[in-house]
Amino acid sequence: MAPDAAKAVLEVQNLKKYYPLSAGLLRREVGYVKAVDDISFTIPPRKTLGLVGESGCGKTTAAHTIMRGREPTGGTVIFHDRQLGAVDLAKADKDTLFQVRRNMQMIFQDPQSSLNPRMTLLDIIGEPLIIYKIAKGAELVDRVALLLQHVGLRPEYMRRFPHAFSGGQRQRIGIARALALNPQFIIADEPTSALDVSIQAQTLNLLQDLQDEFSLSYLFIAHDLSVVEHISDFVAVMYVGKIVERADTERLYHRPKHPYTEALLSSIPRPDPAIQKRRVPIRGELPNPANPPTGCYFHPRCPYAEAICAEEEPPLEEIVPGHVAACHFADRLSLRGVNDF
């Protein structure tokens, strides 16, 4: 994936988020947990980048660091704001962040805990409009009613509290809140993982419809690759804080270049029980980001590993135009795609 940076909505370059580790009586620093370790990607206008990987690989930390919910350790996050132009979120002051956040919002993983149980839908969805002094009174009520209609909920629900709704409906409320300020860019942090399968499909279709209607760009975070394939234009695969492969969705799913991606693709369930899947087993556990393996982080679990993999860390290199991977043998391995299992 190498879209023109001049036409990007978001450019993330060499982003890092390290948490210091301390020990001893004087609590001296003895190391770091490298939750996000030097990741880069670009998201064009009206496109979706899917960020995938096992739980604990750093996906959510990356999202929160991009939004400056957590302070980055290093790197740049350039957001092309429709009013302010290019803004480096990693260095922006409090006032600039306040202005920028009008145009970038977040949908959270748990639709229950992300909504205040003591606020009505009118209060929850209307709060951003009040904070940014966009609407109040009757105009506020009208705006909230319109937003509820956009996400498939009835306007008369606005006087109810979140506990009166199902999980899928609560997620729609969270989406309406994210849309309230008419943003350019939304981070969706596993927005379907807490929902039933049928409700997942409805939510994904809603997000795609809203993308077309409001010209939105998404960073879509998930560990379910079948969900990511449905909604994403590009996909980046994370492993222990690093991006190990990145490409457009079609190429990555059918012609992967990293063994970890192949293993993830093999784990996608098939709806037909008569199909015997040939899974690529991933041995062992996800490494500790405070003490990762030498060389390639994936080599202790990789079926294709050789001696060099334990000694040298492979760079993230372009294998074919628009397709990058961090593997010493990316140009030699013949890996299986999603339809080969």
Side-chain angles (χ1 to χ4, degrees):
M1 182 190 72
D4 187 352
K7 299 178 181 178
V9 168
L10 186 75
E11 301 170 64
V12 176
Q13 296 293 332
N14 309 114
L15 183 65
K16 300 177 182 178
K17 178 57 184 176
Y18 297 171
Y19 294 96
L21 295 172
S22 57
L25 186 63
L26 299 178
R27 311 304 297 170
R28 293 175 177 170
E29 287 189 8
V30 294
Y32 296 93
V33 174
K34 297 181 178 181
V36 177
D37 191 11
D38 199 24
I39 67 170
S40 301
F41 56 80
T42 302
I43 303 179
R46 299 176 296 280
K47 298 295 183 181
T48 300
L49 172 71
L51 190 60
V52 303
E54 293 173 272
S55 296
C57 71
K59 304 185 300 295
T60 295
T61 301
H64 286 219
T65 306
I66 289 168
M67 293 290 291
R68 276 288 294 276
R70 300 175 187 175
E71 291 296 318
T73 303
T76 60
V77 181
I78 307 298
F79 178 65
H80 293 267
D81 185 275
R82 61 164 66 105
Q83 279 88 31
L84 302 179
V87 178
D88 185 355
L89 300 179
K91 299 176 182 177
D93 58 29
K94 185 176 179 181
D95 290 339
T96 303
L97 283 175
F98 178 78
Q99 296 179 62
V100 168
R101 282 176 179 154
R102 176 173 176 171
N103 288 322
M104 56 188 307
Q105 293 289 310
M106 194 163 183
I107 300 169
F108 296 93
Q109 178 176 355
D110 187 349
Q112 181 169 345
S113 62
S114 64
L115 302 176
N116 190 328
R118 298 186 179 185
M119 296 173 70
T120 65
L121 269 57
L122 176 61
D123 298 326
I124 291 170
I125 300 171
E127 186 176 36
L129 297 168
I130 294 172
I131 290 173
Y132 282 88
K133 300 179 180 179
I134 294 173
K136 61 181 181 179
E139 184 183 0
L140 178 69
V141 174
D142 291 341
R143 293 280 294 260
V144 171
L146 184 61
L147 286 164
L148 288 172
Q149 289 178 324
H150 275 303
V151 299
L153 295 175
R154 298 170 65 176
E156 52 265 36
Y157 291 168
M158 71 172 68
R159 303 292 180 181
R160 299 182 184 180
F161 293 88
H163 71 265
F165 299 92
S166 67
Q169 289 174 319
R170 282 196 288 262
Q171 194 59 284
R172 288 172 182 263
I173 296 166
I175 294 170
R177 177 177 58 186
L179 288 174
L181 299 174
N182 190 25
Q184 298 168 250
F185 172 67
I186 290 178
I187 295 178
D189 184 13
E190 303 208 34
T192 61
S193 63
L195 306 178
D196 294 337
V197 174
S198 61
I199 306 302
Q200 285 184 8
Q202 294 175 21
T203 304
L204 290 174
N205 290 333
L206 173 63
L207 289 172
Q208 288 183 308
D209 292 342
L210 293 171
Q211 183 174 39
D212 294 336
E213 185 175 353
F214 292 95
S215 298
L216 295 168
S217 299
Y218 291 138
L219 173 60
F220 188 91
I221 297 171
H223 59 263
D224 185 339
L225 271 75
S226 59
V227 169
V228 172
E229 183 182 20
H230 181 72
I231 196 172
S232 301
D233 299 289
F234 311 98
V235 178
V237 180
M238 281 192 74
Y239 187 76
V240 195
K242 292 181 176 290
I243 289 179
V244 297
E245 186 167 7
R246 192 179 67 232
D248 68 80
T249 304
E250 174 72 16
R251 175 172 286 277
L252 185 136
Y253 273 71
H254 295 278
R255 294 182 292 280
K257 294 294 183 181
H258 197 284
Y260 179 59
T261 306
E262 181 189 45
L264 290 179
L265 293 174
S266 77
S267 68
I268 297 176
R270 293 290 186 92
D272 187 351
I275 296 177
Q276 296 295 320
K277 287 181 63 67
R278 296 175 294 163
R279 294 192 59 180
V280 177
I282 304 180
R283 300 170 297 181
E285 300 292 332
L286 196 71
N288 182 355
N291 185 28
T294 58
C296 174
Y297 287 1
F298 188 59
H299 87 264
R301 309 171 73 189
C302 180
Y304 308 103
E306 297 184 14
I308 189 175
C309 301
E311 299 168 1
E312 297 181 18
E313 181 180 347
L316 189 65
E317 294 182 324
E318 189 170 57
I319 311 304
V320 296
H323 192 159
V324 298
C327 176
H328 291 296
F329 310 111
D331 58 347
R332 281 186 263 164
L333 292 174
S334 181
L335 303 177
R336 288 172 287 177
V338 67
N339 294 331
D340 299 326
F341 297 101

